[in-house]
Amino acid sequence: MKLYTKIMKFMRPFWKHILSVLVLTLLYVFFNNLSLWISVDFIKELFDPAQVNQMVTAADSTQAHTANPASDVMALTTKGNNFYHEVKRTIKSWLIRDNRQDTLITVCFLIFLTFLLKNITLYGRRILLNFIELKIIVNIRNQLHHKMLHLPLRYFDKRHSGELNSVLFNDVNAINVVLDTSFGKMILAPVQIGVNIFILFMISWQLSLVTFIIIPLSAIVMTKIGKSMRRRSRRVFQQIADVVSLFQEAITGIRIVKAFATEPFESQKFEASNNQYFKKTFRQQQLRYMTSPINETMYVSILVFLLWYGGNLVYSHSGLTAEDFIRFLLFLFTMFQPLKELSGVNNVIQNGLAAAERIFEVLDSEEEVYDKPDAKELQMFSRNIRYEHASFSYDADEKPVLQNINLDINKGETVALVGPSGAGKTTLVNLLPRFYECTGGQITIDGTNVQDVTLASLRQHIGIVTQDTILFNDTIRANIAYSKADIPEEQIIHAAKAANAWEFIEKMPEGLDTFIGEKGTRLSGGQKQRLSIARAILKNPPILILDEATSALDTESERLVQNAIEHLLESRTVLVIAHRLSTIQNADKIVVLQDGRIDSIGTHLELLESSALYKNLYENQLLAGKED
Ligand code: ADP
C-alpha cells in the first residue's frame, strides 16, 4: 500500500487535471451510452412501425399522466421498473415526431450529435491524460537524476552504473507504458462498468443478477494472475539491468577487451545474460497472454446462458420485451470491453509496480548528508587544516580503514602522503572534501569542523587532480571551464597556458572549440592530464588534493605535466599522494601511513633517520621509481 501512496505523490500536483479528466470521462460515457440507447430506438423505428405509433401516443400522453407514469407504458411491458420506463419514455419523447419522416430525421440528427459530442470529449480527455502522463514521467526522471547525483559515493561503491542507467531509462519507460496504455482506462473502465451496471439493473434486475456472477469470478482470476505477473516482471527488470551493465562494462573497457582479445568471452557473458532475459520475459508473456482467453471464455459462458434465459423470458411474455432484451445485451456487450481492459490493465500495472519498486528503491535511498540546518558558509581559508583523531571505515562491521589520524597542515604547506598500497592514503584525502564522512574524530578548517559548513562552500575551496582524469564528451573550452558558462576566453587561455596545454590546443583545428570525444579519447594521456590541471588552475582553489600520476608518460610529456603541476602548486595548500622522489623532497612534511595509521611524520631527511618503514619505501619504491 505504501507503494501506492508514493505513486500518488507524483499524481497529486495534477489533481485538477485528473478531476477534469474524470468530468470529461463521465460526459464521454454519457454520450456514448446515449448514442447506443438511441441506436436501439432507431432499429425499432425501422423494424417496428406499429409499436412506434403506439409510442407516439404514449409519449404524447406523458404530460397528462405524470401522476401515474408507469401505467401508460404497460402497453409495452406489463411488469418492470418505473425508472427505466421513465427514462425510456423521456428519450423517446425527444425522438418521436408527428410523422415518421420527421422522427427519422430527429433520430439521425441526435445520433450524429451524440457521436460528435462523444468524440469531442474523447479527444479532450486523451489530450489531458497525455499531458499528465508526460509530466509525471519527466518529473520522475528529474527526481531520479537529482537523487542519483546526491547519493553518497558509498552508494556507487556497491552499485553498477549500468543498473542505475537501467532504472533511469528502462524502469521509467515501463511506467511510461503503464500510464500511456492504462492510466486512461483505469479512470474510464470503472466509470463505464459502473454506469452500465446501473443501466442493466434498470432494464432487468433478474438478468443483471445472473450476469454479475462473472465479476467476482474474473476479479479472483485477475488478482491471482496479477500477483504472479508482478513477480515475473521484477525478474525481467533485474535481468535487463544486468544486460545493460554487462554491455556498458564491455564498451567502457573496450580497449582492455581488445588488448586481451577477450571478445568471445565478453560475447558469451552477454549472450548468457541476454538468454536469461529471453527466458524470463517469455515466461512473463505466457502469463500475460493467458489472461484474455480465460476472461473471454468466462464471458461467453455467461453470455450463452443469458441468451437462453433472456430469450425464454421474452418468449414467455413475462415482462421483458425484445427491445429491452436487445438493449440489455447491447449494454452488456459494451461492458465486456472495459471489463476485459481492466484485467489487461491489471497485468500492465503489475509490471509498472515492479518498475516503481525499483525506482523508489533509488528515490528512497538516503542522500549524501548534505548541510546541517545551521551550516555556515566557509568564507576563506586562512590558517590550517587539522585531522583530529579522525577514523573511518567503509563498512560499519569491517575493520576501520583509518584509525586515530592526527595531522596538522598549515596554510601554504605541501604535505606528501606515502605508504604501501592499501594503507589508506586515498581514503584520507577523500575525507577532506567530505566524499566520505569521518566515522570518528573530526577534520577542521581554521578550527571549524568541516561537517558544520555547507558542502558547496567547502568544495569550492578544494581542487582535485587525480590520476584518472575525468573529462566530458564536450569541447576543450567546456572541459576547462566546467559548469562556469560565462568565463572570459582570456582566463581559459591563461589557465591553459599555465597548465602547458595551450601549445597543443592552439594546434587543434578548432582550438578551444574542439570536441575531445568520450572521456577525451582523442587526446593523449599527458594532454588529458594537462587539461584537468588547467581546469583546477581556473577554479583557483586555496586547497589542492593531488593524486600523483603513476602511469608512465613519455619523458617530454612527463616534463610538461610536472611543470604544469608546479604552476598549480604555487601558493596553495597541498595534500599530495606522492609517488615521485622530487615531490617528496620538496614537501614541507611527509606523512607515512601504514594499515590506516600514521607511522611517522617528518621531512625526508628526518624520516630516513627515524622511520624504518619510510627508509624501506624510499629504497624499494621511490628511489627505484616504482609504483606503490
Ligand atoms: P591507498 O590509497 O593507500 O592505496 P586506499 O585509501 O585506496 O589506500 O584504501 C585503503 C583500504 O580501504 C584498502 O584496504 C581498500 O581495499 C579499502 N577501500 C578503498 N576504497 C574502498 C571502497 N570504496 N569501499 C570499500 N573499501 C575500500
Side-chain angles (χ1 to χ4, degrees):
M1 227 34 200
K2 257 175 86 186
L3 189 61
Y4 289 99
T5 342
K6 287 178 194 165
I7 296 171
M8 284 319 242
K9 254 206 213 142
F10 280 95
M11 309 241 170
R12 205 170 297 147
F14 305 103
W15 69 269
K16 278 186 197 156
H17 297 81
I18 295 176
L19 207 68
S20 315
V21 169
L22 203 66
V23 172
L24 283 171
T25 305
L26 281 170
L27 282 173
Y28 167 75
V29 171
F30 174 76
F31 290 123
N32 193 27
N33 285 342
L34 190 61
S35 60
L36 277 179
W37 190 293
I38 296 175
S39 304
V40 178
D41 285 316
F42 179 69
I43 294 165
K44 200 164 151 5
E45 160 72 17
L46 278 183
F47 295 112
D48 191 6
Q51 276 209 8
V52 170
N53 290 340
Q54 227 172 331
M55 268 316 298
V56 177
T57 339
D60 287 346
S61 56
T62 312
Q63 291 88 351
H65 292 274
T66 37
N68 186 7
S71 66
D72 56 350
V73 283
M74 287 301 113
L76 287 167
T77 55
T78 50
K79 201 168 76 183
N81 154 350
N82 293 353
F83 183 65
Y84 169 56
H85 295 301
E86 188 63 40
V87 173
K88 196 159 114 181
R89 201 182 47 221
T90 312
I91 295 177
K92 278 213 161 91
S93 71
W94 300 341
L95 306 175
I96 308 300
R97 297 282 156 245
D98 290 342
N99 72 58
R100 294 188 54 206
Q101 209 58 38
D102 287 353
T103 306
L104 195 61
I105 289 173
T106 317
V107 170
C108 289
F109 174 72
L110 267 180
I111 288 181
F112 172 77
L113 192 69
T114 49
F115 270 89
L116 182 73
L117 290 173
K118 172 185 123 175
N119 280 295
I120 289 173
T121 47
L122 183 69
Y123 175 74
R125 73 181 279 284
R126 284 219 177 122
I127 289 293
L128 253 180
L129 273 170
N130 208 267
F131 174 84
I132 302 170
E133 286 160 23
L134 285 176
K135 276 278 182 199
I136 289 177
I137 291 303
V138 167
N139 287 352
I140 293 181
R141 277 226 174 89
N142 280 345
Q143 282 202 24
L144 264 177
H145 182 259
H146 181 267
K147 183 78 191 192
M148 284 176 184
L149 291 188
H150 289 81
L151 285 171
L153 284 178
R154 226 177 247 285
Y155 187 91
F156 296 92
D157 291 343
K158 295 189 183 121
R159 293 278 196 316
H160 195 285
S161 62
E163 206 183 314
L164 291 175
N165 202 331
S166 189
V167 170
L168 190 63
F169 293 99
N170 296 327
D171 296 50
V172 175
N173 247 352
I175 301 282
N176 198 355
V177 172
V178 174
L179 291 178
D180 205 33
T181 58
S182 314
F183 189 34
K185 289 181 191 161
M186 265 153 53
I187 299 177
L188 177 62
V191 174
Q192 266 178 332
I193 294 170
V195 172
N196 280 34
I197 289 178
F198 178 75
I199 295 175
L200 290 178
F201 267 96
M202 209 165 79
I203 300 174
S204 164
W205 63 266
Q206 295 102 318
L207 282 182
S208 305
L209 276 185
V210 177
T211 316
F212 292 115
I213 305 165
I214 337 169
I215 295 189
L217 217 73
S218 79
I220 292 170
V221 176
M222 259 161 60
T223 30
K224 275 256 173 311
I225 294 183
K227 271 200 186 127
S228 179
M229 193 70 194
R230 184 149 153 200
R231 224 176 15 249
R232 291 180 191 203
S233 300
R234 196 177 310 129
R235 289 186 201 131
V236 169
F237 285 126
Q238 278 158 0
Q239 196 58 41
I240 190 73
D242 194 51
V243 172
V244 173
S245 302
L246 278 175
F247 167 74
Q248 200 164 311
E249 215 163 65
I251 296 299
T252 37
I254 191 73
R255 283 177 177 72
I256 301 288
V257 173
K258 287 196 184 296
F260 283 80
T262 49
E263 291 97 336
F265 170 70
E266 289 296 333
S267 285
Q268 259 172 13
K269 265 202 307 193
F270 185 82
E271 276 168 25
S273 180
N274 210 11
N275 281 340
Q276 280 297 318
Y277 168 73
F278 165 78
K279 277 191 197 147
K280 290 177 181 173
T281 311
F282 194 54
R283 259 184 239 146
Q284 178 207 35
Q285 300 295 343
Q286 281 166 335
L287 186 68
R288 189 176 139 208
Y289 288 113
M290 209 152 68
T291 327
S292 178
I294 290 181
N295 274 332
E296 194 131 338
T297 316
M298 264 179 351
Y299 297 149
V300 165
S301 324
I302 295 294
L303 192 76
V304 169
F305 179 73
L306 264 185
L307 282 175
W308 173 80
Y309 181 70
N312 272 330
L313 277 184
V314 174
Y315 287 156
S316 65
H317 300 287
S318 55
L320 189 77
T321 64
E323 180 197 346
D324 298 333
F325 188 45
I326 291 172
R327 187 166 277 139
F328 184 91
L329 287 180
L330 205 61
F331 278 98
L332 187 65
F333 269 128
T334 49
M335 195 178 73
F336 281 169
Q337 190 54 31
L339 264 179
K340 250 168 64 181
E341 272 173 1
L342 214 55
S343 57
V345 161
N346 187 44
N347 283 346
V348 184
I349 289 177
Q350 296 305 328
N351 192 32
L353 286 178
E357 274 172 0
R358 288 165 50 82
I359 290 173
F360 284 113
E361 222 173 82
V362 178
L363 283 182
D364 294 342
S365 303
E366 214 169 305
E367 277 193 15
E368 194 166 17
V369 186
Y370 245 50
D371 299 331
K372 289 187 177 171
D374 53 351
K376 291 176 288 193
E377 295 281 313
L378 182 64
Q379 293 299 350
M380 55 183 274
F381 170 53
S382 47
R383 296 198 311 276
N384 60 6
I385 301 166
R386 292 182 101 151
Y387 283 68
E388 298 172 8
H389 307 289
S391 56
F392 175 78
S393 54
Y394 283 100
D395 252 313
D397 23 294
E398 273 179 23
K399 183 174 158 276
V401 171
L402 290 176
Q403 292 181 61
N404 197 26
I405 302 292
N406 287 298
L407 177 62
D408 274 8
I409 304 158
N410 294 322
K411 187 176 169 155
E413 267 182 355
T414 294
V415 174
L417 299 169
V418 295
S421 180
K425 304 180 290 290
T426 314
T427 310
L428 189 146
V429 296
N430 279 345
L431 292 181
L432 182 59
R434 281 171 60 198
F435 287 156
Y436 297 91
E437 305 278 358
C438 289
T439 43
Q442 62 171 7
I443 301 172
T444 60
I445 292 185
D446 292 344
T448 310
N449 188 337
V450 288
Q451 293 185 356
D452 294 336
V453 298
T454 61
L455 210 53
S457 70
L458 172 70
R459 291 182 185 169
Q460 252 159 32
H461 284 76
I462 303 174
I464 298 167
V465 178
T466 54
Q467 296 188 35
D468 38 342
T469 46
I470 314 281
L471 296 174
F472 298 90
N473 186 10
D474 207 333
T475 59
I476 291 182
R477 181 196 305 275
N479 267 290
I480 297 180
Y482 184 50
S483 91
K484 295 179 190 157
D486 46 0
I487 292 261
E489 183 155 320
E490 307 87 73
Q491 282 189 35
I492 295 179
I493 296 177
H494 178 77
K497 279 185 178 159
N500 283 340
W502 185 241
E503 42 153 326
F504 77 84
I505 298 173
E506 219 177 9
K507 288 192 199 119
M508 295 206 155
E510 286 164 75
L512 279 174
D513 296 312
T514 312
F515 275 86
I516 59 167
E518 193 173 335
K519 290 189 183 163
T521 30
R522 292 168 61 188
L523 300 176
S524 76
Q527 287 173 335
K528 279 191 263 188
Q529 274 173 0
R530 280 179 277 162
L531 269 198
S532 71
I533 292 169
R535 183 195 288 162
I537 290 178
L538 188 71
K539 183 179 174 184
N540 196 21
I543 301 166
L544 186 74
I545 291 172
L546 180 66
D547 191 353
E548 239 177 14
T550 54
S551 52
L553 296 174
D554 58 80
T555 333
E556 172 62 7
S557 232
E558 185 171 337
R559 189 187 60 75
L560 289 169
V561 171
Q562 203 47 44
N563 183 270
I565 287 179
E566 274 154 27
H567 276 134
L568 183 62
L569 300 191
E570 274 163 19
S571 69
R572 281 179 230 277
T573 310
V574 185
L575 257 170
V576 49
I577 299 176
H579 300 286
R580 281 167 213 281
L581 192 55
S582 61
T583 316
I584 292 170
Q585 283 170 336
N586 291 335
D588 298 296
K589 221 181 252 170
I590 302 164
V591 178
V592 187
L593 274 178
Q594 190 179 31
D595 284 340
R597 292 175 185 278
I598 293 185
D599 171 86
S600 41
I601 302 180
T603 60
H604 177 59
L605 292 175
E606 284 166 6
L607 287 174
L608 277 181
E609 290 285 310
S610 62
S611 167
L613 176 66
Y614 181 75
K615 194 157 182 279
N616 190 313
L617 276 172
Y618 172 69
E619 283 166 0
N620 290 317
Q621 286 183 9
L622 302 167
L623 212 53
K626 273 196 238 158
E627 295 174 18
D628 66 350

